[in-house]
Amino acid sequence: MSQFTVYQNTSGDNEAYPYLIDIQHPILEDLPSRVVIPLARSTNYSTMQIKGLSPVIEFAGEKLILMTHQLGSIPIKELGDPIGSLSHLHTDIVSALDFLISGF
């Protein structure tokens, strides 16, 4: 499993949060779960965007908000097949995580 891989959100909240991005480092691939951040449709959560914490990104032709403050863990078996990658946004994603943990 690759870091920054995108998966379709198969939970009941997939209209508001259509995708999950796997942020866990591959060195921990033997764990039965992955740490993910939901991607929210910007049309639903435009007021949730906090500069530095929740950048707006583009994926699959739509603007989405990286909901860093809602990160969580999900069993690997619930992720399904990967549908894309946001590895080109490595710096933005890690910066958002740093902001969540360090405040800058």
Side-chain angles (χ1 to χ4, degrees):
M1 302 191 104
S2 297
Q3 192 175 34
F4 309 119
T5 297
V6 181
Y7 296 88
Q8 191 79 43
N9 183 2
T10 58
S11 76
D13 214 6
N14 61 359
E15 184 60 35
Y17 303 96
Y19 308 107
L20 302 172
I21 178 170
D22 177 355
I23 61 164
Q24 189 168 305
H25 194 279
I27 199 168
L28 301 171
E29 69 182 16
D30 291 338
L31 295 175
S33 60
R34 302 295 291 177
V35 176
V36 297
I37 298 175
L39 296 173
R41 289 198 163 93
S42 61
T43 54
N44 295 346
Y45 293 95
S46 60
T47 60
M48 294 297 293
Q49 198 221 351
I50 300 169
K51 186 176 179 177
L53 178 66
S54 49
V56 175
I57 62 166
E58 195 165 318
F59 180 76
E62 65 181 312
K63 291 186 186 280
L64 302 159
I65 299 174
L66 183 72
M67 303 295 274
T68 311
H69 58 288
Q70 293 185 6
L71 70 87
S73 176
I74 187 169
I76 290 173
K77 63 183 178 184
E78 292 182 25
L79 280 177
D81 294 326
I83 60 168
S85 174
L86 292 175
S87 61
H88 63 285
L89 296 175
H90 172 274
T91 301
D92 295 329
I93 296 165
V94 172
S95 293
L97 289 164
D98 284 345
F99 187 85
L100 177 69
I101 294 166
S102 305
F104 58 89

